């Protein structure tokens, strides 16, 4: 297991992303095909996931992340979520005793306590996982762009998510 992260469950609407996730050992769920709350409960034996990472950036997904996470769990907002969202702080956060963490890259090293993950520790783990084959990138990179294409890439990604899985900037 990857430091206790097992099973890893991915939720997405796009079959291309779900197929790539399955090919890399991630249990993949399309919420249009199953009841997401029931499926997550089934896969986690009724407990819910200890960690939910919201990576879409869509504020409409935040309440679902808060609903799905287990009591005492953690929800990390990784997707640079922008916009307003209505949540029930008491029932979705306080009563469940969960942690809600903003995970923007610019704040990674704010608390470099020994047990906390830092950018350097993240990069070392990533390198180790690739080197040992526990993490693979086969089929995850779908586009290579030049720096000149950067100004419009976020709009392009938002408008055509089904065409993009992984984009890398070629700085050469």
């Amino acid at each position: 297991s990857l430091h206790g992260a097992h099973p890893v469950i991915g939720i997405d609407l796009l079959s291309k992303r779900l197929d790539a996730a399955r090919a890399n050992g991630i249990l993949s769920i399309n919420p249009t095909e199953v009841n997401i709350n029931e499926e997550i409960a089934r896969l986690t034996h009724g407990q819910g996931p200890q960690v939910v990472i919201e990576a879409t950036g869509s504020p409409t997904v935040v309440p679902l992340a808060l609903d799905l996470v287990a009591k005492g769990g953690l929800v990390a907002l990784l997707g640079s979520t922008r916009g307003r969202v209505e949540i029930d702080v008491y029932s979705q956060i306080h009563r469940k005793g969960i942690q809600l963490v903003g995970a923007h890259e610019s704040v990674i090293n704010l608390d470099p306590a020994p047990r906390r993950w830092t950018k350097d520790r993240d990069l070392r783990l990533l390198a180790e996982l690739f080197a040992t084959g526990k993490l693979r990138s086969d089929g995850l990179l779908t586009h290579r762009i030049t720096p000149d294409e950067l100004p419009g890439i976020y709009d392009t990604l938002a408008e055509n998510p089904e065409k993009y899985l992984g984009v890398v900037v070629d700085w050469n």
Side-chain angles (χ1 to χ4, degrees):
S1 85
L2 304 177
H3 295 278
H6 183 76
V8 176
I9 303 167
I11 302 170
D12 206 304
L13 298 172
L14 302 175
S15 59
K16 185 175 184 179
R17 290 181 186 170
L18 293 169
D19 291 343
R22 281 185 200 101
N24 287 281
I26 296 172
L27 299 176
S28 302
I29 302 170
N30 183 330
T32 64
E33 297 173 358
V34 297
N35 178 303
I36 197 69
N37 293 61
E38 291 175 7
E39 187 66 5
I40 292 294
R42 184 184 72 77
L43 292 170
T44 62
H45 308 288
Q47 301 300 304
Q50 290 299 312
V51 176
V52 173
I53 300 172
E54 196 300 297
T56 68
S58 172
T60 61
V61 182
V62 174
L64 176 62
L66 293 170
D67 286 341
L68 292 176
V69 72
K71 288 182 178 180
L74 180 139
V75 172
L77 302 179
L78 181 65
S80 295
T81 308
R82 290 174 171 83
R84 297 189 180 273
V85 63
E86 186 172 322
I87 58 175
D88 181 341
V89 175
Y90 178 73
S91 66
Q92 291 179 298
I93 298 173
H94 185 67
R95 193 176 73 211
K96 290 175 73 174
I98 67 162
Q99 296 178 56
L100 179 61
V101 177
H104 196 274
E105 189 274 335
S106 66
V107 299
I108 287 177
N109 288 321
L110 287 183
D111 182 5
R115 292 189 201 127
R116 296 273 311 244
W117 287 99
T118 63
K119 188 183 259 185
D120 289 341
R121 290 178 79 191
D122 287 345
L123 291 174
R124 278 196 304 273
L125 175 61
L126 191 59
E128 175 188 326
L129 294 175
F130 274 114
T132 60
K134 291 181 180 177
L135 184 62
R136 299 185 321 269
S137 61
D138 307 337
L140 298 180
L141 178 62
T142 59
H143 292 79
R144 187 176 300 271
I145 65 169
T146 66
D148 294 339
E149 296 172 275
L150 279 171
I153 194 64
Y154 285 107
D155 288 338
T156 302
L157 291 170
E159 293 166 7
N160 302 292
E162 70 284 351
K163 293 183 182 177
Y164 295 85
L165 191 56
V167 178
V168 68
V169 180
D170 186 347
W171 294 96
N172 292 323

